[in-house]
Amino acid sequence: MATETVAKPRTSARVHVQKFGTFLSGMIMPNIGAFIAWGIITALFIEKGWLPVPQLGGFGETGGKPNIGLVGPMITYLLPLLIGYTGGKNVYDVRGGVVGAIGTMGVIVGAGIPMFIGAMIMGPLGGWTMKKIDMLWDGKIRPGFEMLVNNFSAGIWGALLAMLGFFGISPLVTAFSSGAGDVVKFLVNNGLLPLTSIFIEPAKVLFLNNAINHGVLTPLGVQQSLDQGKSILFLLEANPGPGLGILLAYMFFGRGAAKASAPGAAIIHFLGGIHEIYFPYVLMRPLLILAAIAGGMTGIATLAITGAGLVAPAAPGSILAVLAQTSRDSYLGVILSVVLATTASFLVASVIMKTTKHSDETDLGDATARMEAMKGKKSSVSSTLTGAGAGASAGAASGGRGGVGVLAGPVRNIVFACDAGMGSSAMGASVLRNKIKAAGFPDVKVTNASIASLSDTYDVVITHQDLTERAKPATSSAVHYSVDNFMSSPRYDEIVELVRESNTEGGTSDAGTAHGAHAAEAPVDAAPAAAGAAAAAPAAGSSDILARESVVMRGSATTRDAAIDEAGRLLLARGAVDEGYIAAMHEREESVSTYMGSFLAIPHGTNAAKDHIRKSAVSVIRYPEGIDWNGKQVKFVVGVAGINNEHLHILSSIAKVFTNKEQVARLEAATSEDEVLELFGKVNA
């Protein structure tokens, strides 16, 4: 039988650079708060700061000993370690983050200077190599020895990486940092730094700014700020002036929808710091990139002439963030750079708009769509440009889905979300995962998570119909599906068809590839990341999660609440939970039903109740006559308490049983606890 090969779409160089920039910014952006904290402490407490404090600023002596302060240790140790940990975690969860941080410590000590670039190397290297090492003995460790092997392998490899960083990586990164610093000095000393706008401004519109700003300018700027107390590099890309000038030109000389939306876009851009809001206006009239370049060059030249700079990165690029990070002696220069950049950009844009003919009203929507295609995801601010109608259209086009996001390419990442992320979402994820694999798309990742842990990194989000509105704000780029039956919802077939349409030849594009890249750009919560693996294969050492004493063949409860109590008491008797967890099971049921379909309910606690769980356990109770569960008949109640996803393989087995009518019939006819355990893929001795 011939096998059809689906041709993979070619990925453009722009998308590769976007992906690399996303990877770099994924290490920096989660830690921007720490950079800002360091910037505030530096601006306030150093010797030339607003409120000089020797003990905090690290100058002078106290009791005959030099003051260390907070500024030096934070930039030397805290910030690089955070970057290294985040880089490793992005590659291989917490385990990769720990090993990445150990390796980063080697380059920190070996170099003697802030090792941001070294951290951006050692963090991902530590996570990736640890992942490869763990794969060598995956599934081969004898039960009971997992913790021993895992801890020592991470410790030994981390120590080796630290030595590699100390002796091998730190000299190379030191040389690179020195060379890059010399290049910056050369550009500044020769008045050439404004020319960087020729590359930076077009790169912003093409969504390559992360690679430039967070990959190069921020690390170099921090080093310069440490040496000089401020850096011009923090404002090369973050200056809001060029974009504001273009939006002002549209306010005065634009037409139709573009002119009407420009004031709102200007507020979002200048005060909110969301620079992508002006990208469609440039894409609509590509010649306006000259206005952005003129504004950027003017702003940089002003900073260079006045010797102004910021003490730390301004993120996002809001005027409020810029002023908050401005050096004490640079307010005039920084404000002047923003004003003059805005003026230059406005004048050039005005000339272009007055001397060229264009239909702004008909092209703004197309330009916004092109922007989202280049970005690889739905823009969170695009509704400001295209109006509410765009969102309504997206929802209508979704065929009954929750709407919100618009797919820009293949589906790579699907998440089931519920309140706690341990029960109904895990079951639903298992059911859909099997359906998608059966359809021939094993590479599509189907995970589960709690609502609280969601981030805008998924292509498709599936929730109970009562939780959809809670999930939408955190996942505005995703396509949303609402279900009321996690075991056999007709929505699953729609999702499989969506995957088939978007992941086969003719349904993908460069933009789609970018979207797939985006799905990995931000750190995903550890629980959903582990869910797929845990559901795919039983975890070693989990034989006590479902025990014979936790299986009841004929429950005594006659109501929903009594059944929840009965399931919770079994978990309590096993020492898996305390009394507070049972109360949380009732609380969860009152907010969102745990009825799954196929006569099954899986009561479990809320996300806030995880502190009441002592160990993972599952209880199973059969009610042959059935009980009323919010108007649905339930014959099987599965109580769930889970830590670290140890329970997910049991839930996966249960899900497989309840999606098979013959298996459900066998379960109804079972006469012993061992038959139930065997059906769930687990036989106790």
Side-chain angles (χ1 to χ4, degrees):
M1 180 177 177
T3 302
E4 292 186 8
T5 301
V6 178
K8 294 184 177 180
R10 295 182 63 185
T11 305
S12 69
R14 172 182 56 76
V15 171
H16 282 301
V17 177
Q18 271 185 339
K19 186 175 181 180
F20 179 65
T22 293
F23 178 73
L24 294 179
S25 67
M27 289 183 271
I28 299 291
M29 288 303 293
N31 299 305
I32 283 294
F35 279 88
I36 292 174
W38 171 77
I40 292 172
I41 291 171
T42 301
L44 290 176
F45 303 127
I46 62 173
E47 192 169 5
K48 296 181 179 180
W50 289 97
L51 301 170
V53 178
Q55 293 85 350
L56 297 176
F59 61 93
E61 295 183 352
T62 300
K65 296 182 179 179
N67 291 315
I68 297 175
L70 289 174
V71 177
M74 285 181 73
I75 195 173
T76 302
Y77 299 105
L78 175 64
L79 298 180
L81 286 173
L82 285 174
I83 293 171
Y85 174 82
T86 304
K89 185 176 183 292
N90 288 352
V91 174
Y92 190 40
D93 201 28
V94 174
R95 185 168 169 80
V98 171
V99 175
I102 298 172
T104 299
M105 194 65 190
V107 295
I108 291 173
V109 177
I113 62 173
M115 272 286 99
F116 295 98
I117 296 176
M120 296 169 81
I121 295 173
M122 295 306 297
L125 178 64
W128 182 79
T129 52
M130 194 69 250
K131 182 178 183 179
K132 294 298 180 182
I133 290 172
D134 283 352
M135 290 172 62
L136 295 177
W137 47 67
D138 183 37
K140 301 176 183 177
I141 305 173
R142 293 176 63 86
F145 289 86
E146 299 89 352
M147 183 175 293
L148 180 69
V149 173
N150 288 339
N151 287 345
F152 270 86
S153 61
I156 293 170
W157 185 243
L160 292 174
L161 279 180
M163 288 186 281
L164 172 64
F166 186 94
F167 292 108
I169 304 299
S170 63
L172 297 177
V173 177
T174 301
F176 173 80
S177 298
S178 178
D182 291 339
V183 170
V184 172
K185 290 179 183 178
F186 173 81
L187 294 174
V188 173
N189 293 337
N190 291 276
L192 300 176
L193 197 60
L195 295 180
T196 57
S197 292
I198 297 174
F199 305 100
I200 292 175
E201 296 303 328
K204 289 174 68 175
V205 178
L206 295 174
F207 286 95
L208 305 179
N209 52 314
N210 284 334
I212 295 172
N213 193 29
H214 299 301
V216 179
L217 297 180
T218 294
L220 293 178
V222 169
Q223 177 64 53
Q224 189 179 61
S225 180
L226 181 65
D227 297 336
Q228 304 174 16
K230 59 188 173 184
S231 176
I232 190 176
L233 301 180
F234 293 134
L235 263 182
L236 297 193
E237 186 273 341
N239 191 331
L244 179 62
I246 291 173
L247 293 172
L248 289 175
Y250 269 97
M251 290 169 60
F252 286 98
F253 306 111
R255 299 176 182 175
K259 181 174 183 177
S261 61
I267 293 173
I268 292 172
H269 167 76
F270 193 63
L271 298 180
I274 309 300
H275 287 198
E276 73 178 48
I277 193 74
Y278 80 85
F279 297 172
Y281 294 87
V282 177
L283 293 172
M284 186 165 46
R285 293 181 178 227
L287 203 57
L288 288 178
I289 196 64
L290 297 177
I293 292 173
M297 294 178 69
T298 302
I300 294 171
T302 304
L303 292 170
I305 293 171
T306 59
L310 307 186
V311 296
S318 161
I319 187 61
L320 302 177
V322 169
L323 293 176
Q325 299 296 352
T326 298
S327 175
R328 181 180 178 180
D329 61 356
S330 298
Y331 280 98
L332 177 61
V334 168
I335 293 173
L336 200 58
S337 75
V338 175
V339 172
L340 294 181
T342 302
T343 302
S345 179
F346 171 75
L347 292 175
V348 175
S350 298
V351 171
I352 292 173
M353 295 181 70
K354 290 292 288 182
T355 57
T356 58
K357 294 182 179 181
H358 207 272
S359 177
D360 298 339
E361 184 168 9
T362 58
D363 288 352
L364 181 58
D366 292 339
T368 303
R370 290 203 305 273
M371 177 198 73
E372 291 173 342
M374 284 189 293
K375 186 177 182 181
K377 58 173 280 188
K378 177 110 176 130
S379 169
S380 60
V381 293
S382 63
S383 61
T384 303
L385 310 180
T386 56
S393 299
S398 66
R401 300 178 296 216
V404 180
V406 176
L407 279 179
V411 175
R412 304 294 189 200
N413 213 343
I414 300 174
V415 65
F416 271 79
C418 67
D419 182 66
M422 73 170 74
S424 51
S425 62
M427 299 281 276
S430 178
V431 173
L432 183 61
R433 187 182 301 114
N434 293 331
K435 284 180 174 289
I436 289 178
K437 284 183 178 179
F441 300 95
D443 293 334
V444 175
K445 188 176 182 181
V446 183
T447 57
N448 66 287
S450 65
I451 292 285
S453 70
L454 288 177
S455 58
D456 201 6
T457 57
Y458 303 101
D459 301 308
V460 176
V461 176
I462 306 163
T463 52
H464 188 277
Q465 59 188 13
D466 295 335
L467 294 174
T468 302
E469 293 306 316
R470 284 178 55 193
K472 283 181 178 180
T475 52
S476 59
S477 299
V479 174
H480 282 253
Y481 283 85
S482 301
V483 300
D484 61 357
N485 184 330
F486 279 83
M487 299 304 299
S488 56
S489 173
R491 295 283 181 248
Y492 294 167
D493 292 333
E494 295 179 22
I495 297 169
V496 171
E497 186 59 31
L498 178 69
V499 171
R500 182 178 288 110
E501 291 176 358
S502 63
N503 291 38
T504 53
E505 186 176 7
T508 56
S509 63
D510 282 349
T513 308
H515 189 59
H518 165 71
E521 77 177 45
V524 179
D525 186 73
S542 60
S543 58
D544 292 332
I545 293 176
L546 176 58
R548 183 183 289 105
E549 60 265 29
S550 295
V551 178
V552 175
M553 301 302 295
R554 180 176 287 274
S556 60
T558 57
T559 65
R560 181 200 71 178
D561 290 344
I564 293 174
D565 282 333
E566 193 168 6
R569 292 293 171 190
L570 289 173
L571 298 176
L572 183 65
R574 293 276 308 283
V577 301
D578 59 26
E579 287 281 356
Y581 189 76
I582 300 177
M585 293 172 74
H586 286 283
E587 182 182 345
R588 169 68 169 82
E589 198 65 43
E590 289 300 324
S591 61
V592 180
S593 175
T594 59
Y595 174 74
M596 302 293 294
S598 301
F599 306 115
L600 171 67
I602 53 167
H604 55 276
T606 61
N607 189 50
K610 290 186 177 181
D611 291 342
H612 295 287
I613 303 175
R614 296 170 181 168
K615 65 178 181 180
S616 297
V618 171
S619 61
V620 178
I621 308 173
R622 186 178 66 178
Y623 297 94
E625 287 76 30
I627 59 176
D628 179 75
W629 201 282
N630 301 329
K632 309 287 186 180
Q633 187 181 34
V634 166
K635 295 184 178 181
F636 303 95
V637 174
V638 176
V640 179
I643 296 177
N644 296 332
N645 308 300
E646 297 168 338
H647 63 301
L648 295 183
H649 78 284
I650 292 291
L651 292 184
S652 177
S653 300
I654 294 173
K656 290 179 181 178
V657 168
F658 281 92
T659 52
N660 186 314
K661 292 183 179 180
E662 293 182 3
Q663 297 281 65
V664 174
R666 286 183 58 192
L667 194 59
E668 290 188 85
T671 58
S672 69
E673 292 85 352
D674 284 337
E675 288 183 64
V676 175
L677 295 172
E678 185 177 359
L679 276 169
F680 292 152
K682 172 186 176 301
V683 180
N684 275 16

